[in-house]
Amino acid sequence: MDPPEDNAIDPPYGVGDSSYQAAGGVEGIRRLVDSFYDSMESLDEALRIRKMHPSDLSTARDKLTHFLSGWMNGPNIYRSKYGEINVPRAHAHLPIGLEERDAWLLCMRRALAEQPYPESFKQYLLRELSVPAERCRTR
Ligand code: HEM
């Protein structure tokens, strides 16, 4: 029998907590978010969005990690720690246009490239994250 395709997971990503499991649970998500903010600190394209954040990124790292855990149908740690969130509303005070959205997604693409995830999961996550990223645009 042929080996299973990289994307032939059962159940598919997005069903139940399969994405959360594929990401390596909260510790895997924390590594992804750490890479994400490391990219934001190093990429010229991300300079403007980096400056929108406080100089100390530790709360931002904690919030995004715990948000993504719930977003992938894992434990909703963000809600327990920080309360309810509406992602576009949480960004309404920020000047986010096409370039800022794309810079955010570029940081995420770089971060995904550094993770030990199947290629199909990296592509899936980037595609899924582009939806809320577009919704965060304020101009
Ligand atoms: C589109 C480009 C984006 C930019 C430029 C951006 C930028 C920011 C900034 C600057 C903050 C800190 C806000 C502050 O301290 O006042 C923040 C917070 C946050 N962002 Fe984003 N973001 C983007 C997209 C996203 C997406 C797509 C998600 C989720 C999938 C997300 C999730 C969060 C969360 C959970 C917080 C914490 C909110 C809070 O508790 O205050 N962001 N973002």
Side-chain angles (χ1 to χ4, degrees):
M1 211 167 78
D2 290 335
E5 289 280 319
D6 183 32
N7 60 359
I9 66 150
D10 182 25
Y13 306 128
V15 173
D17 72 348
S18 60
S19 297
Y20 177 76
Q21 298 300 341
V26 74
E27 286 316 314
I29 296 173
R30 191 182 303 282
R31 286 190 287 274
L32 174 69
V33 168
D34 279 339
S35 283
F36 169 82
Y37 278 114
D38 291 349
S39 292
M40 197 184 283
E41 298 212 277
S42 67
L43 291 174
D44 286 348
E45 294 94 322
L47 209 59
R48 223 171 23 240
I49 64 171
R50 171 67 185 89
K51 284 187 181 155
M52 293 177 191
H53 290 78
S55 56
D56 180 353
L57 286 173
S58 42
T59 302
R61 287 174 192 259
D62 191 69
K63 284 182 165 178
L64 188 57
T65 300
H66 290 148
F67 172 79
L68 289 177
S69 171
W71 186 77
M72 292 185 204
N73 284 331
N76 196 332
I77 313 167
Y78 183 96
R79 192 197 287 143
S80 339
K81 279 186 91 169
Y82 302 108
E84 291 297 335
I85 182 172
N86 171 300
V87 170
R89 212 177 296 146
H91 295 78
H93 62 298
L94 300 167
I96 302 177
L98 290 171
E99 276 184 33
E100 290 76 17
R101 177 201 67 185
D102 289 348
W104 193 97
L105 289 168
L106 174 64
C107 295
M108 191 51 80
R109 182 145 51 85
R110 292 290 177 94
L112 285 166
E114 289 173 7
Q115 307 311 307
Y117 304 158
E119 199 49 44
S120 58
F121 184 56
K122 297 181 188 186
Q123 289 175 15
Y124 168 82
L125 262 193
L126 197 63
R127 210 167 51 237
E128 290 294 307
L129 283 168
S130 67
V131 176
E134 170 61 18
R135 293 203 183 118
C136 288
R137 270 181 56 204
T138 54
R139 54 178 200 186

